[in-house]
Amino acid sequence: MLLNPRQGRGSTVLTPEDIGDESTFNLVKSTQFLSCEKWLSCPLIDIVEELNLPVGEIEKLKNVAAAKLAPPFLPAVSLTNGPCFSFGSLTLDHALSGILRPGQLVEIWGKAGAGKSQLALQICSSLDSAYISTEGSVPTERLVEMSGGDSADNCLIQLCTSIESLVKCVMKELPLLLAQRSGVKVVALDSIAAPFRTGEMVDGVQRARIIRSIGQQLKHLAVQWGLCVVVVNQATDVPGQGPQPALGLTWGYLVNSRVRIERAEGQWRRVTVDKAGSVRSGTGVDVTITSTGIS
């Protein structure tokens, strides 16, 4: 069940449907201007000289290229109304309804053993989904358990154990997968922090740039494909503040909603909303972890 998309350069290109006229498309195809990035990076005069098309036609194609690259704006009402996805638990759905929405980046964070991965797997188990694991193992057996013994073929899994492989997956492989496999509702990344804690030599500036690029790409894909991105994050102890989500403000500013999960007594866990646009901060509910999932 591994992701295996076509190899590609990851560049967004204009298609015959985008351009409309076959002769114009063939002209554009014969040059370097199939790439949407090239349309936006080149001065207008250079494009006119290269293609020998009317300025009005050039401006129209530049707008098409910009529309393909930029995520569409969402109406404000869509942030609080419209469809949302299930946690796979009636208890959580009732208490946290509206968290898992299309176009949203949702973080689940907590200490080790709190149940972060359990919650992310449960969300994926009942939906067409893609699960990116960076923790060194592929949780297929647990996913099958949560799927009620079914094959869990609705969930595709990719293993990324380094910063380089994670960046390649998010920037190139995941967009290709979403273009090929329609109907994906959730993409889960478990976890965002793990590759940055393996001792790879990355300075602070480069680390922040990579984290920001990953977050921005995930948000772009969420809006572009109408899916929800669920990202698991680890906890780190901050002097004077106690446990806080890892990766600091660089990552924190990118998430739309933040959900914390903590151990309680026995198999009980406390799930609390730290921030969200549709649920009051501080809203919480107690759940248990069983052999078939969270309830």
Side-chain angles (χ1 to χ4, degrees):
M1 294 194 297
L2 297 179
L3 304 182
N4 188 24
R6 297 190 307 268
Q7 295 299 311
R9 294 166 53 192
S11 176
T12 304
V13 297
L14 294 176
T15 66
E17 291 76 17
D18 295 325
I19 295 176
D21 181 71
E22 183 178 358
S23 61
T24 302
F25 173 75
N26 291 332
L27 173 63
V28 172
K29 185 179 179 180
S30 66
T31 69
Q32 59 186 334
F33 288 102
L34 269 185
S35 166
C36 292
E37 290 87 350
K38 195 67 176 179
W39 277 93
L40 300 185
S41 63
C42 283
L44 181 63
I45 186 63
D46 291 348
I47 303 176
V48 172
E49 290 179 354
E50 180 73 22
L51 298 179
N52 195 27
L53 291 173
V55 173
E57 184 70 15
I58 296 295
E59 290 179 339
K60 177 182 176 182
L61 291 175
K62 282 177 72 74
N63 289 336
V64 171
K68 293 198 70 171
L69 283 176
F73 284 94
L74 292 174
V77 69
S78 70
L79 299 178
T80 55
N81 296 325
C84 59
F85 304 126
S86 172
F87 281 91
S89 161
L90 292 177
T91 302
L92 288 171
D93 288 342
H94 177 74
L96 310 182
S97 176
I99 292 286
L100 302 178
R101 291 189 179 277
Q104 299 287 288
L105 177 59
V106 179
E107 178 192 67
I108 300 171
W109 77 280
K111 292 183 177 180
K116 305 182 296 295
S117 296
Q118 300 281 332
L119 183 51
L121 283 169
Q122 178 153 308
I123 294 169
C124 290
S125 66
S126 59
L127 297 167
D128 285 338
S129 56
Y131 195 95
I132 304 169
S133 174
T134 66
E135 297 286 345
S137 61
V138 180
T140 51
E141 292 184 5
R142 183 56 172 154
L143 188 61
V144 170
E145 284 182 344
M146 291 181 168
S147 301
D150 296 332
S151 62
D153 285 340
N154 62 294
C155 182
L156 300 178
I157 298 178
Q158 177 72 299
L159 180 63
C160 302
T161 56
S162 67
I163 296 174
E164 181 182 3
S165 63
L166 176 59
V167 170
K168 179 182 178 183
C169 178
V170 171
M171 297 299 179
K172 296 184 178 182
E173 296 174 347
L174 183 57
L176 288 174
L177 172 74
L178 295 175
Q180 295 171 35
R181 186 181 176 103
S182 62
V184 172
K185 298 297 188 294
V186 172
V187 170
L189 170 56
D190 181 10
S191 67
I192 180 65
F196 297 93
R197 293 184 165 186
T198 59
E200 289 190 54
M201 299 300 292
V202 179
D203 63 46
V205 174
Q206 184 181 12
R207 176 178 179 268
R209 179 182 60 80
I210 294 172
I211 292 170
R212 186 165 53 250
S213 296
I214 290 173
Q216 290 172 341
Q217 172 75 338
L218 290 174
K219 293 185 75 169
H220 170 76
L221 294 174
V223 173
Q224 180 182 10
W225 296 101
L227 53 85
C228 182
V229 175
V230 175
V231 178
V232 172
N233 194 9
Q234 299 169 357
T236 185
D237 286 324
V238 178
Q241 300 182 44
Q244 297 294 320
L247 304 184
L249 295 178
T250 299
W251 169 254
Y253 285 134
L254 293 168
V255 303
N256 298 110
S257 300
R258 170 168 279 165
V259 176
R260 171 171 27 107
I261 183 167
E262 302 169 287
R263 277 183 172 273
E265 295 183 4
Q267 294 297 312
W268 288 96
R269 301 292 190 273
R270 181 70 176 174
V271 179
T272 307
V273 176
D274 285 344
K275 75 170 185 176
S278 56
V279 179
R280 186 187 299 273
S281 297
T283 299
V285 62
D286 292 324
V287 296
T288 57
I289 297 178
T290 67
S291 59
T292 57
I294 294 177
S295 59

